[in-house]
Amino acid sequence: MPRCKAENLWLELGDLEKTRSRVFRCAGIYGPNRNALATLRDRKAGNINDSKLVSRIHVGDLCRGIHASMTSSIAARKRVYNMADDLPASREEVFSYAKRLGSFSEGDTDLSTRTRRDKSRSSKRVNNARLRNELITDLVYPSYVEGLKDLENQCIW
């Protein structure tokens, strides 16, 4: 079933039940054990030379947004939220930053010969304005930089 059809059916169900219904469109989710640092550590990065822009969200901010939607006083019954941070970035940018942050040597991260299946030829940037205006005005991790830095500082990558 196409995504939009499923979303519309879910929102219609909220109408039938006379309750609020929410759809959360999640960007690339990262956090402990699922992030660029862990991927480099485990040598599973594949091709990191991908320059397409992709939106991401730290699992902590994702949970905060979902919780905020459940406790929100927003009267609208139907809402669709793009759950993403403020800075779409390429895989190349994220892994370059992770290499520096994690003090990986070039030999540790020379994975360019490995290939990764290309899921899409287009960038995957989303607008998070509704999330920021209605649910979370202050993301703890507004970009991958803060998210990876926190994971590194807590040694939970």
Side-chain angles (χ1 to χ4, degrees):
M1 175 182 306
R3 185 200 70 196
C4 288
K5 184 175 180 180
E7 288 176 356
N8 287 330
L9 288 171
W10 180 252
L11 294 171
E12 288 173 22
L13 179 62
D15 279 344
L16 290 172
E17 297 294 323
K18 298 189 182 345
T19 188
R20 295 188 305 178
S21 56
R22 304 289 187 252
V23 170
F24 301 101
R25 293 178 181 160
C26 300
I29 303 168
Y30 71 97
N33 299 313
R34 185 181 169 131
N35 59 73
L37 292 164
T39 301
L40 289 170
R41 176 196 65 211
D42 299 341
R43 299 186 52 80
K44 295 182 179 177
N47 181 8
I48 61 174
N49 298 318
D50 190 342
S51 61
K52 290 182 295 209
L53 295 180
V54 176
S55 292
R56 293 168 177 77
I57 189 163
H58 188 284
V59 67
D61 282 332
L62 176 61
C63 292
R64 286 180 61 227
I66 292 170
H67 181 263
S69 79
M70 291 189 282
T71 59
S72 169
S73 61
I74 295 170
R77 278 206 178 140
K78 299 177 184 182
R79 274 301 198 237
V80 177
Y81 293 99
N82 289 325
M83 308 299 277
D85 67 20
D86 296 334
L87 184 65
S90 70
R91 185 171 172 83
E92 187 173 18
E93 287 174 87
V94 173
F95 277 89
S96 176
Y97 179 74
K99 280 183 191 180
R100 290 190 312 273
L101 186 64
S103 300
F104 291 97
S105 70
E106 276 305 310
D108 291 340
T109 60
D110 185 19
L111 305 171
S112 58
T113 58
R114 296 179 63 194
T115 59
R116 184 169 189 257
R117 193 179 84 211
D118 188 9
K119 295 179 184 174
S120 171
R121 297 225 181 266
S122 63
S123 293
K124 295 184 179 182
R125 298 187 275 191
V126 298
N127 184 336
N128 70 354
R130 181 173 283 168
L131 168 69
R132 301 283 287 170
N133 293 333
E134 296 181 4
L135 300 179
I136 308 176
T137 57
D138 59 333
L139 290 171
V140 174
Y141 308 103
S143 78
Y144 69 90
V145 173
E146 294 83 3
L148 290 178
K149 196 178 295 182
D150 186 59
L151 292 167
E152 170 69 8
N153 289 340
Q154 292 185 47
C155 298
I156 55 172
W157 50 277

